[in-house]
Amino acid sequence: MLMIGLHQFETEQIPLGGGRSRGLGVVKLAIEDVWWFDYPENRPEELLTYLERLVNGKKDDHYKLSPDSFDSYKQDWTEALVAKLRAEVEESAMHSSSIPDQV
């Protein structure tokens, strides 16, 4: 969901402010660098090391995604979200159709 929200800013679809003031108008988000860490669940110490590096400003290129990799991740995440939402909509529709109408 985060990627979809950020995409809205990347494509200049969301104005900021303007409710009670002039606001900033439409802004464009440019994501230049992305770091990704996917740790094995059975080794939480790797996550702690990564977080410690991040907090101390010691990000290295080991975790940095190339623009192509990031685009691929965004596509995968968006497709997974849409598939999950479709499944939930279908499940909800099946559930509601099994409940008799009350008159």
Side-chain angles (χ1 to χ4, degrees), residues 3-92:
M3 292 315 309
I4 291 172
L6 291 177
H7 178 75
Q8 299 275 314
F9 284 104
E10 287 178 303
T11 56
E12 302 179 65
Q13 296 179 23
I14 299 177
L16 290 180
R20 294 185 180 259
S21 67
R22 292 173 156 249
L24 295 174
V26 175
V27 296
K28 181 173 182 152
L29 173 66
I31 299 175
E32 295 177 4
D33 295 321
V34 176
W35 283 263
W36 175 257
F37 179 73
D38 194 6
Y39 79 98
E41 289 185 28
N42 61 344
R43 296 198 319 244
E45 69 280 355
E46 288 187 35
L47 174 61
L48 295 174
T49 299
Y50 169 74
L51 292 173
E52 185 177 50
R53 286 180 177 172
L54 191 65
V55 168
N56 292 324
K58 296 180 181 177
K59 295 184 290 186
D60 57 32
D61 287 344
H62 177 73
Y63 302 114
K64 190 174 182 179
L65 292 178
S66 69
D68 289 339
S69 292
F70 182 51
D71 289 342
S72 178
Y73 273 110
K74 286 195 306 186
Q75 186 68 33
D76 292 346
W77 294 330
T78 302
E79 288 174 6
L81 175 62
V82 169
K84 175 149 179 57
L85 293 175
R86 284 189 197 283
E88 288 184 10
V89 166
E90 289 172 9
E91 182 181 323
S92 177

